[in-house]
Amino acid sequence: MPTVAPDVVLHPLAGKDRTLAEQVGLFHLVAVVLDPYTYESSWLLDTAGRILTNFRNADCRAGFVVTCDAAGAREFLGPWADELIVFCDPDRVAVAGMGLGTLPAFVHVNIAHQVEASAEGWE
């Protein structure tokens, strides 16, 4: 189980940058990681959004990690950008820290910064 460095910075679409340690201090992070420049990510966008909305009342932070800048994330996610937490990772620092090699992916990071589970390469 990979451990993500606690000083990896997550760039929320809304709000100020915070480290992974700050984001998972109280709640696990459950995220769908997407590359907006691939067909596979666009095919799964609505399905991923519906899955993540099921976690809204759970004791976790559920949202998207998108490998682009804020403008690209808003354009790609459309209305999902206002519905869920969105983190931008244009340099793929967080993606690499989570040990993800193939996107799209679903990842669960616990409060100890460990990747509890991940599923990569959805089709």
Side-chain angles (χ1 to χ4, degrees):
M1 163 170 17
T3 299
V4 186
D7 61 347
V8 167
V9 176
L10 297 174
H11 309 281
L13 197 54
K16 68 177 199 169
D17 293 353
R18 299 205 184 275
T19 64
L20 179 78
E22 292 173 306
Q23 289 292 347
V24 300
L26 295 174
F27 299 105
H28 293 214
L29 173 65
V30 175
V32 173
V33 185
L34 300 173
D35 179 346
Y37 307 108
T38 64
Y39 289 117
E40 293 83 3
S41 289
S42 64
W43 295 333
L44 292 168
L45 181 57
D46 287 332
T47 301
R50 286 192 309 270
I51 290 169
L52 290 170
T53 58
N54 285 321
F55 286 97
R56 264 199 188 132
N57 295 322
D59 290 336
C60 65
R61 294 184 188 277
F64 290 105
V65 175
V66 188
T67 60
C68 62
D69 62 13
R74 283 205 176 278
E75 182 178 341
F76 176 70
L77 295 172
W80 291 113
D82 297 320
E83 292 289 319
L84 295 161
I85 296 171
V86 177
F87 297 106
C88 299
D89 189 24
D91 299 323
R92 295 187 180 222
V93 174
V95 170
M98 293 174 191
L100 301 175
T102 305
L103 301 181
F106 184 83
V107 65
H108 169 200
V109 180
N110 67 24
I111 60 175
H113 317 134
Q114 298 169 323
V115 175
E116 284 279 334
S118 66
E120 300 179 58
W122 295 2
E123 293 183 8

